[in-house]
Amino acid sequence: MKKIFYFLLFMLAFTFAASAQRFEYQLGLKGGVGAAYLGSNDDNIVNKDNGITYKFGLTGTYYFKESYGFTSGFNILGSDISYKYKVNDLNTPEVQKRNLKNTYLQIPLLLKMRTDNFANRYHIFGEIGYGVNIFVDSQDKNEYHHDYRDVCSSFIVHFGFDMVVLNRSTLVFLIGYDNFFTSMMTMKSEKMTMSNLCFEVAFLF
């Protein structure tokens, strides 16, 4: 985790100069929290509860046209989802409560589309694209531990608005939907996916 933090810090410092020279490219910090949902084809999962998710990291947008841009960056994406699992073992309780508590390094690749500015400082925008999710850690709150894939994919959609502050900086508010459409598991017979809905805030320099 320390190496990831230092890498993100280096990328932030490295691009400050570029953002100062070219206003069409902005970089900043981002964070959010929301609800997460578990999907699975495992018949032994008898009940799934909504959980929580959080994300924070570095984000940047390059505008190749006034109303179109490319957004990417690095997110630390964490989740904690509770579910009940049916166990066919006489030595253990019939139903156990378990937690999916994973951490991923996410790299989003998004097309950004925004309106013309109004009131001299606001834009409404949408983003759509692909997320590369690199497995970092798992902390299940029980002895049962899945074998997770090193990399999985997600479909990402954002909708929100931004406003110009401090002359050149931008404050961003958005609702983001993130759907892991490939299984997080290494076992081909067991598919486990996750989706989340987050409220996110970013500050771009």
Side-chain angles (χ1 to χ4, degrees), residues 10-23:
F10 170 77
M11 290 297 295
L12 180 63
F14 178 77
T15 52
F16 272 150
S19 62
Q21 295 295 326
R22 303 181 64 184
F23 183 56

Side-chain angles (χ1 to χ4, degrees), residues 25-76:
Y25 179 72
Q26 288 185 294
L27 184 84
L29 302 175
K30 178 180 178 182
V33 65
Y37 178 78
L38 178 67
S40 176
N41 64 350
D42 192 341
D43 294 334
N44 291 320
I45 296 180
V46 295
N47 185 42
K48 292 173 285 190
D49 298 327
N50 291 332
I52 60 172
T53 187
Y54 64 88
K55 61 177 63 175
F56 62 91
L58 176 72
T59 184
T61 300
Y62 172 72
Y63 293 99
F64 50 86
K65 287 189 176 181
E66 180 65 25
S67 298
Y68 295 91
F70 175 76
T71 297
S72 188
F74 305 90
N75 294 322
I76 300 299

Side-chain angles (χ1 to χ4, degrees), residues 1-17:
M1 291 296 291
K2 287 185 178 179
K3 291 182 179 179
I4 295 173
F5 173 77
Y6 290 139
F7 178 73
L8 296 179
L9 189 63
F10 170 77
M11 290 297 295
L12 180 63
F14 178 77
T15 52
F16 272 150

Side-chain angles (χ1 to χ4, degrees), residues 191-202:
K191 184 176 181 179
M192 184 175 288
T193 60
M194 178 180 66
S195 59
N196 62 67
L197 187 68
C198 281
F199 173 72
E200 303 176 33
V201 178

